[in-house]
Amino acid sequence: MRVTIKDVARKAGVSTATVSLVLHDNRRISVETRKRVLKAIHELEYQPSQLARGLVMKQTGNIGFILTEDHFLRTEPFYTRIFLGTEFEARESSHFVLLTTIPTQFTEENSLPRFVTQQSVDGIIVAGKVPQLLVEKLNHYNMPFIFIDYYPPKGDYSAVLIDNILGGMVATEHLIKLGHKEIAFIGGDIEHPSINERYIGYKMALEKHGIRYRSELVITSEEATGKESGLHAVCSLLDRDIKFTALFACNDAMAIGAMECLRKRGLKIPDQVSVVGFDDIESDVFQDPPLTTIAVPKFDLGIEAMRLMREVLANKVRKNKKVLVPVELVLRKSTSPLKK
Amino acid sequence: MRVTIKDVARKAGVSTATVSLVLHDNRRISVETRKRVLKAIHELEYQPSQLARGLVMKQTGNIGFILTEDHFLRTEPFYTRIFLGTEFEARESSHFVLLTTIPTQFTEENSLPRFVTQQSVDGIIVAGKVPQLLVEKLNHYNMPFIFIDYYPPKGDYSAVLIDNILGGMVATEHLIKLGHKEIAFIGGDIEHPSINERYIGYKMALEKHGIRYRSELVITSEEATGKESGLHAVCSLLDRDIKFTALFACNDAMAIGAMECLRKRGLKIPDQVSVVGFDDIESDVFQDPPLTTIAVPKFDLGIEAMRLMREVLANKVRKNKKVLVPVELVLRKSTSPLKK
DNA sequence: AATTTTTAGTTAAACGATTAACGAAATGAA
DNA sequence: TTCATTTCGTTAATCGTTTAACTAAAAATT
């Protein structure tokens, strides 16, 4: 049978209360007694039961982690890295993370994850864009939740977000510093806050350096944000004979598609067109040339979310707190100084 | 405050024991009382506390899921799919799955996942090849564990495995039925049970159809099982002027590398060489031509593991049970009938 | 009618922790 | 010396379930 606090108490010749107090570093216990207890704990290899502890403390020690199915199964380990960060940081406070997915099309028929309805978690982390319906259903439960890399359009929540505006600025400024003035921007799903913010960063950088914003250089009408969209966007630019010496794509997938189009049309990268992406996905390195991009620290996003969760659970947070995690420029071979 | 069994009991005018018995479908309770209780449960939206339940039943309701880091972060969502299957099936028995990773190089310095040392799980599922040290450390704990897609070289364990031999046979027979007789096999990391079994399947199929095994058609000396190994293996075959009209690669990655080499050397697929892979990874479809392969039902592997775990936990399993999940041939464009 | 059996519930202990409230001994203050 | 305070522990209630053992009433048997 399992070693319990009673066994420890007996072995150390004290009451179970004393053992518990030692475990919680209560200074009401003398150094000697504490030593005896610690010795007994060690010798018996005692591990407190999380169940018993949770029952009296009214907390489960679990954190729920919700992802849509497609995000979890994406080839690019974006959300898996975020999860890993969360799980890693959870070890610091002895939390467990329960990962579950919801259908990408979450409708009325779908029920919430069991850990929510059963109240088997102390808090919930929601990663990536999720259907509004989920958010609303979640609101019915008296459980703190935190978003990662997404922010619901209505309502006020705690969230850990990528500093997309900064990223957009850094990417654009990088191009500007290389001497470029005709910098195109391509984006899709422009309603998505993250994409929109990158776009804003682009515009801010232009303004900051006194470069006029030219709408013909900008494509925000793509539906999706995949490779095909990138290809399509750039091709449409080229078809209209729009000239640009640099390109900032709202993410790497689109950037890769864009490069494909540029190559097809015989444009040399980076000599004729410099390209910057956003995200730093795995395949960037295998591009020809390797893609310069804005790296998103996925692991850190997960870590920050778990930290924020702890603060929230400890009531350290006044209102809904937002954490912006910084991004950084990763120089590879797809950008170069403007050539005459 | 949380709704407890007491609230339900009060509302229904019965004792808490009665509520509990109703919850467990005990037929000692009359139909009417049961109805009253059920009504109260429903009206109060009562959810039993897993903590309290677990405490008295001496079970946590959790299953640990261990993966090496590199497996979890692989671009190909192989193990994530397996996990998803497990998580999905866990819902049937109200289990939660705690996913954690261990360093790929698990050494003495590394400690076991916290859910093991803390005994916060009822059983453990280990997916993919893991260091032997982990297995040995796990053995010290009195917890059932089950392997998925791996079987430790020493010892006897319960496991859910891919029917690799069958897969190797099916792949090879497919080629034989297309008229091929000179069928090459390329594999790497041949010590790995899965690879070895596919190789055995290859040999069995040849024998079954009375085709002589020719060692010069076989490469098992590659270290790794990646694209480069596939490329290297086939090139070395071609360099030695070995003739073959079909090729079975031990996995899709190698098959893709192999095709790259074949294309480079000007050999047409499938006209001059038919190629079959194994695994059914995402990028198969994007190959030129799309790769015919043996599909591994990842989701099912996870499901079967969870089912097996339940059997084990219920002591339904006499000895260590092995479950072989069947694979199936996926016809795409990389194989065709032998041309004269 | 008396006894036994069945039915339909209840009582109370147990699971393994935490912690407020209490208390005895030692120490300090008046 | 007496009273107050501090130190170091203990007692006992509590968290929300489950379930063995019990009981009262009803039904069946003799």
Side-chain angles (χ1 to χ4, degrees), chain B residues 14-15 17-18 28-30 33 55-56 58:
Chain B
V14 296
S15 71
T18 302
R28 207 157 64 204
I29 309 298
S30 72
T33 311
L55 185 57
V56 39
K58 288 173 182 312

Side-chain angles (χ1 to χ4, degrees), chain A residues 198-216:
Chain A
R198 293 169 192 189
Y199 178 39
I200 292 173
Y202 163 77
K203 289 188 283 193
M204 284 172 65
L206 291 185
E207 189 174 343
K208 179 172 164 194
H209 291 86
I211 300 178
R212 192 170 55 85
Y213 170 86
R214 290 166 48 200
S215 62
E216 68 271 24

Side-chain angles (χ1 to χ4, degrees), chain A residues 4-272:
Chain A
T4 73
I5 200 170
K6 280 186 191 165
D7 301 317
V8 177
R10 195 177 314 122
K11 176 144 194 163
V14 296
S15 71
T16 62
T18 303
V19 178
S20 179
L21 292 173
V22 167
L23 243 25
H24 288 83
D25 276 333
N26 190 307
R27 61 174 171 11
R28 205 157 64 205
I29 308 297
S30 73
V31 185
E32 289 150 63
T33 312
R34 141 183 285 280
K35 258 193 205 153
R36 264 209 333 283
V37 171
L38 252 21
K39 184 152 165 276
I41 288 178
H42 195 251
E43 282 176 14
L44 295 173
E45 297 186 39
Y46 166 66
Q47 290 287 146
S49 154
Q50 296 303 313
L51 290 176
R53 190 172 264 184
L55 185 57
V56 42
M57 316 254 308
K58 289 173 182 311
Q59 47 175 37
T60 64
N62 297 331
I63 301 296
F65 193 101
I66 300 180
L67 263 177
T68 60
E69 243 162 47
D70 61 343
H71 280 155
F72 186 55
L73 290 176
R74 267 171 47 168
T75 306
E76 177 64 23
F78 187 90
Y79 290 102
T80 41
R81 282 216 150 78
I82 292 181
F83 169 79
L84 226 53
T86 300
E87 204 272 330
F88 184 82
E89 181 63 25
R91 301 176 191 181
E92 293 304 306
S93 46
S94 286
H95 278 105
F96 289 121
V97 184
L98 305 184
L99 169 63
T100 201
T101 57
I102 54 162
T104 307
Q105 303 304 331
F106 184 85
T107 67
E108 281 293 350
E109 280 86 71
N110 297 298
S111 45
L112 285 173
R114 229 178 49 256
F115 57 60
V116 181
T117 59
Q118 267 180 208
Q119 308 187 61
S120 298
V121 294
D122 302 328
I124 298 168
I125 293 177
V126 179
K129 190 174 177 183
V130 292
Q132 183 61 24
L133 181 61
L134 176 81
V135 182
E136 270 146 29
K137 282 200 177 185
L138 244 27
N139 263 320
H140 292 337
Y141 289 80
N142 189 28
M143 256 179 222
F145 52 100
I146 288 174
F147 290 93
I148 304 183
D149 191 30
Y150 177 67
Y151 200 83
K154 47 190 80 168
D156 185 30
Y157 305 97
S158 286
V160 175
L161 303 164
I162 299 170
D163 197 341
N164 286 302
I165 298 187
L166 173 70
M169 284 196 63
V170 169
T172 313
E173 278 196 293
H174 166 59
L175 295 170
I176 294 174
K177 281 178 188 157
L178 289 173
H180 297 279
K181 294 212 154 43
E182 294 157 309
I183 305 172
F185 173 86
I186 59 171
D189 190 12
I190 199 70
E191 296 302 310
H192 193 301
S194 297
I195 309 291
N196 214 317
E197 286 161 16
R198 293 169 192 189
Y199 178 39
I200 292 173
Y202 163 77
K203 289 188 283 193
M204 284 172 65
L206 291 185
E207 189 174 343
K208 179 172 164 194
H209 291 86
I211 300 178
R212 192 170 55 85
Y213 170 86
R214 290 166 48 200
S215 62
E216 68 271 24
L217 283 174
V218 171
I219 297 219
T220 56
S221 53
E222 292 296 324
E223 282 278 322
T225 54
K227 225 156 68 172
E228 303 71 26
S229 308
L231 192 143
H232 181 258
V234 169
C235 286
S236 83
L237 238 35
L238 263 23
D239 286 343
R240 284 182 288 142
D241 249 348
I242 310 240
K243 286 217 178 60
F244 53 92
T245 63
L247 170 70
F248 170 36
C250 76
N251 70 11
D252 286 350
M254 284 191 77
I256 289 170
M259 292 206 289
E260 205 175 309
C261 171
L262 292 172
R263 270 196 305 267
K264 268 191 190 155
R265 304 286 177 107
L267 289 165
K268 294 272 172 268
I269 309 167
D271 290 353
Q272 291 172 275

Side-chain angles (χ1 to χ4, degrees), chain B residues 22 24 36 71 83 95 120 122 124 158 169 174 189 195-196 218 259 272 305 308 316:
Chain B
V22 167
H24 289 82
R36 266 212 329 285
H71 279 155
F83 169 79
H95 278 105
S120 298
D122 302 328
I124 299 168
S158 286
M169 284 196 63
H174 166 59
D189 190 12
I195 310 290
N196 214 317
V218 171
M259 292 206 289
Q272 291 172 276
L308 182 51
K316 299 270 182 215

Side-chain angles (χ1 to χ4, degrees), chain B residues 106-166:
Chain B
F106 185 85
T107 67
E108 281 293 350
E109 282 86 71
N110 297 297
S111 45
L112 285 174
R114 227 176 53 255
F115 57 61
V116 181
T117 59
Q118 267 180 207
Q119 310 186 60
S120 298
V121 293
D122 302 328
I124 299 168
I125 293 177
V126 179
K129 191 174 176 182
V130 291
Q132 183 62 24
L133 181 61
L134 176 81
V135 181
E136 270 146 29
K137 282 200 177 185
L138 244 29
N139 264 320
H140 292 339
Y141 289 80
N142 188 28
M143 254 178 223
F145 52 100
I146 289 173
F147 290 94
I148 304 184
D149 192 31
Y150 177 68
Y151 199 83
K154 49 189 78 169
D156 185 30
Y157 305 97
S158 286
V160 175
L161 303 164
I162 299 170
D163 197 341
N164 286 301
I165 298 187
L166 173 70

Side-chain angles (χ1 to χ4, degrees), chain B residues 157-202:
Chain B
Y157 305 97
S158 286
V160 175
L161 303 164
I162 299 170
D163 197 341
N164 286 301
I165 298 187
L166 173 70
M169 284 196 63
V170 169
T172 312
E173 277 195 295
H174 166 59
L175 295 170
I176 294 174
K177 281 178 187 156
L178 289 174
H180 297 278
K181 294 211 154 45
E182 293 157 309
I183 304 173
F185 173 86
I186 59 172
D189 190 12
I190 198 71
E191 296 301 310
H192 193 300
S194 297
I195 310 290
N196 214 317
E197 287 160 16
R198 293 168 192 190
Y199 178 39
I200 292 173
Y202 162 78

